[in-house]
Amino acid sequence: MKNLAVFVNSVNKNELMEMVRAYQAYVNFSYEKTDGFDEYFYSDEITDDKIIITSTICGKTTVEEYDLPNDTLNKKKFARRFGKRSIYKTLKEYSGEWLPYGCLTGVRPTKLYAELLREGIDAKGEFTGFFDVTPEKAEHVARIVKNQEKLLKIEKDEVDVFVNIPFCPTRCAYCSFVAVSMKQLRKYLESYVETLKNEISIIKNVINENNFKVRAVYFGGGTPTSIPVPMLKSLIDLCDFKAKEFTVEAGRPDTLTKEVLDMMANTAVTRISVNPQTFHDKTLKLIGRAHTVEDTLRAYDLAKNYDFIVNMDLIATLPGENFDDFKYSVDKAISLNPENITVHNLSLKRGSVLTESHYEPLNLKDAEKMIDYSVSALTDAGYEPYYMYRQKYNTGNLENSGYAKPDTECVYNVDIMEENCNILAAGAGAISKRLFREENRIERLADVKDVKGYIERAETLRERHEKFWKK
Ligand code: SF4
């Protein structure tokens, strides 16, 4: 791997550094003068109507100049785009490697693609041209945008409700969510659920006062099915919004019992997830899941006795797995025939056990091969990709994609990714979103992230929600 010291001088430095970091799979970076490292200096100057970029790498200087639009918002947007593209081109040439998503660093490529289409631009051409996205990735994004057309027909007064239950049986080695082990958190469980019930009631008032209609309810976490069944039932029953879709993440197969399934079958719940992540016991042990493949199969068999739409999550590039291991898991999931399959690419965020233990992820080429296989195997098996997002902390910023058999898509997943629907959220770390469509902006209201802090601030919840949703 080549060694490169990078120096960026720009008002957009934070955003431009995302482009530099995207090349970490191929270049070893330093951000200060370092012996034995090549050097790359980037600087830009933004005038009233232009951006002038000067780049010097290994002593060779180039200057680029591009026109910018007049309005402030677009001017900023295009200045960042030109800056990222310049860095991308420089690093592509320096490393000799092409990134699958080119100079696109955003989390939501589908949102950008749809925006370009609305502006009457040839979005696929722009993706493969300006952004240098591979034709395969551009096609994947295009297919998802097409599949979302029918799902994005939303009335102005429709909202989603999200409820966070941040408890899990054990902590996965890659987890950086608000999820501490049940053992550590058990003492807070009762007061957490009480606070949560109170917040759901506050949300209900907001919904009634604004005449909102609830489109989808989503219980996430954490693993909602890891709390006692009567507690979970009381929370589900409180969310009697008559939504067409009601998901409960039952991610850990070891939490899925006949008792909890019977209970959910008699409520408004329509969709659950049983997440194998992998069909290899050796990997499950390595990632601290505390369940076996047999548990997954048993839980899935049980779940299929009910009318729920079932989702299965898989993760590519898990520790110790190669392409064949991942392929086996994809094929196994397909053979089980759940309505939805979601393929994630392992994300190593700060705070996870894997990150702390300096786990080295697979190289980008292997990760790409896995993701590419999942796309072809799933689409060949009749699953359509219908939502996607990219994460900043995984190999090559590859995508996570949700697939569904016809008419079984989860609209909440689309709404959260495309940011096209108001979301009223309850629970530690939950984020409500309010759309101001005319002004093309979104406001967010985040609940306190840690469970103890959330309970301690229970008194402030009413005022915060009422203020946030005030007309
Ligand atoms: S199941 Fe999900 S939320 Fe729970 S510990 Fe594992 S990754 Fe974290």
Side-chain angles (χ1 to χ4, degrees):
M1 211 187 255
K2 285 176 153 181
N3 296 318
L4 186 66
V6 179
F7 305 91
V8 172
N9 180 14
S10 167
V11 284
N12 295 318
K13 182 172 176 177
N14 286 346
E15 290 86 356
L16 298 183
M17 288 308 291
E18 288 171 10
M19 192 69 254
V20 174
R21 282 191 291 270
Y23 257 100
Q24 267 167 353
Y26 295 122
V27 180
N28 182 30
F29 291 113
S30 157
Y31 304 107
E32 56 191 15
K33 281 209 170 275
T34 309
D35 283 348
F37 276 56
D38 296 329
E39 288 182 335
Y40 170 30
F41 298 90
Y42 168 101
S43 70
D44 61 36
E45 187 197 341
I46 299 169
T47 67
D48 281 349
D49 57 355
K50 282 192 190 324
I51 176 166
I52 301 146
I53 300 169
T54 308
S55 316
T56 304
I57 185 158
C58 301
K60 192 178 150 215
T61 300
T62 46
V63 179
E64 300 160 80
E65 194 175 307
Y66 303 103
D67 291 337
L68 293 176
N70 283 330
D71 63 299
T72 323
L73 215 66
N74 276 317
K75 191 173 170 181
K76 268 191 190 158
K77 186 165 91 181
F78 278 88
R80 286 197 291 260
R81 264 186 207 170
F82 285 124
K84 281 184 187 177
R85 192 175 66 153
S86 169
I87 291 175
Y88 170 73
K89 283 197 299 189
T90 305
L91 294 178
K92 181 181 171 187
E93 200 184 322
Y94 177 75
S95 65
E97 297 288 353
W98 188 7
L99 296 183
Y101 279 93
C103 59
L104 264 190
T105 56
V107 171
R108 298 176 168 85
T110 41
K111 206 175 167 189
L112 173 64
Y113 195 96
E115 232 171 74
L116 292 170
L117 285 182
R118 276 196 300 276
E119 286 165 18
I121 294 169
D122 164 19
K124 207 183 274 179
E126 193 74 355
F127 263 47
T128 52
F130 184 93
F131 294 108
D132 205 24
V133 174
T134 64
E136 294 76 19
K137 293 294 181 204
E139 181 54 40
H140 187 62
V141 174
R143 192 166 178 169
I144 291 175
V145 170
K146 180 95 194 96
N147 287 334
Q148 286 182 344
E149 270 171 21
K150 63 172 187 198
L151 307 169
L152 287 172
K153 289 188 179 120
I154 295 177
E155 302 292 326
K156 244 185 167 178
D157 55 357
E158 280 188 307
V159 297
D160 292 331
V161 170
F162 175 78
V163 174
N164 190 32
I165 303 184
F167 298 89
C168 287
T170 56
R171 190 159 184 235
C172 304
Y174 50 80
C175 183
S176 64
F177 299 129
V178 196
V180 188
S181 76
M182 276 295 269
K183 214 169 157 193
Q184 280 166 278
L185 276 188
R186 193 172 296 274
K187 58 181 176 195
Y188 297 117
L189 182 59
E190 270 184 33
S191 30
Y192 182 80
V193 170
E194 280 316 303
T195 311
L196 193 53
K197 279 186 186 168
N198 176 39
E199 193 175 12
I200 295 172
S201 304
I202 294 167
I203 278 177
K204 268 178 129 168
N205 276 345
V206 173
I207 289 172
N208 291 337
E209 274 169 24
N210 290 276
N211 290 320
F212 287 152
K213 287 187 207 115
V214 179
R215 170 172 151 94
V217 180
Y218 197 101
F219 273 39
T223 308
T225 43
S226 67
I227 68 171
V229 174
M231 259 185 194
L232 180 59
K233 179 172 166 36
S234 65
L235 290 165
I236 292 173
D237 286 347
L238 249 189
C239 295
D240 51 350
F241 300 117
K242 303 197 171 31
K244 272 202 210 109
E245 176 184 298
F246 196 133
T247 298
V248 174
E249 278 189 13
R252 294 295 197 95
D254 45 336
T255 65
L256 211 54
T257 59
K258 185 170 181 310
E259 187 194 1
V260 75
L261 284 163
D262 280 345
M263 180 277 284
M264 290 194 291
N266 287 308
T267 63
V269 176
T270 60
R271 181 177 180 271
I272 60 171
S273 53
V274 182
N275 297 336
Q277 313 301 17
T278 170
F279 282 96
H280 297 282
D281 280 331
K282 63 171 177 118
T283 318
L284 288 171
K285 244 190 207 151
L286 264 177
I287 59 175
R289 291 279 289 185
H291 67 83
T292 61
V293 172
E294 211 182 305
D295 289 331
T296 308
L297 298 174
R298 179 202 52 80
Y300 181 71
D301 258 8
L302 209 56
K304 287 319 282 176
N305 294 323
Y306 301 79
D307 288 333
F308 303 119
I309 287 176
V310 178
N311 171 66
M312 282 192 158
D313 273 6
L314 294 174
I315 303 181
T317 72
L318 281 170
E321 292 208 346
N322 58 26
F323 173 76
D324 288 337
D325 294 324
F326 177 69
K327 179 180 180 299
Y328 175 84
S329 292
V330 172
D331 295 346
K332 182 75 189 170
I334 290 173
S335 74
L336 293 170
N337 200 27
E339 287 80 5
N340 299 171
I341 295 179
T342 310
V343 180
H344 297 266
N345 188 21
L346 182 65
S347 176
L348 292 174
K349 293 186 193 150
R350 266 197 300 265
S352 73
V353 174
L354 280 182
T355 310
E356 302 304 311
S357 63
H358 305 291
Y359 165 71
E360 278 291 323
L362 272 188
N363 68 49
L364 179 52
K365 293 274 184 285
D366 289 337
E368 265 183 84
K369 198 175 157 196
M370 289 181 178
I371 295 295
D372 288 351
Y373 177 74
S374 66
V375 176
S376 58
L378 284 159
T379 49
D380 286 353
Y383 289 90
E384 274 296 317
Y386 74 100
Y387 82 99
M388 70 176 288
Y389 62 101
R390 296 168 68 213
Q391 282 171 301
K392 291 199 165 56
Y393 302 95
N394 68 24
T395 316
N397 302 157
L398 289 174
E399 74 277 9
N400 302 327
S401 302
Y403 296 80
K405 288 275 173 79
D407 301 322
T408 64
E409 301 90 348
C410 169
V411 295
Y412 178 80
N413 283 332
V414 177
D415 292 349
I416 188 98
M417 283 310 139
E418 302 309 315
E419 300 189 305
N420 62 322
C421 188
N422 287 324
I423 296 179
L424 293 99
I431 299 175
S432 296
K433 285 185 191 172
R434 183 171 179 185
L435 272 56
F436 294 84
R437 292 178 206 272
E438 286 77 23
E439 298 153 52
N440 196 19
R441 70 183 174 90
I442 299 170
E443 282 189 12
R444 292 172 175 80
L445 174 73
D447 277 345
V448 177
K449 214 172 169 196
D450 84 286
V451 167
K452 190 165 165 274
Y454 170 73
I455 297 165
E456 283 167 1
R457 294 196 55 190
E459 294 300 314
T460 65
L461 290 170
R462 180 173 301 280
E463 196 191 329
R464 295 179 76 226
H465 275 289
E466 285 177 356
K467 203 168 153 198
F468 184 72
W469 293 103
K470 210 168 154 197
K471 283 180 201 163

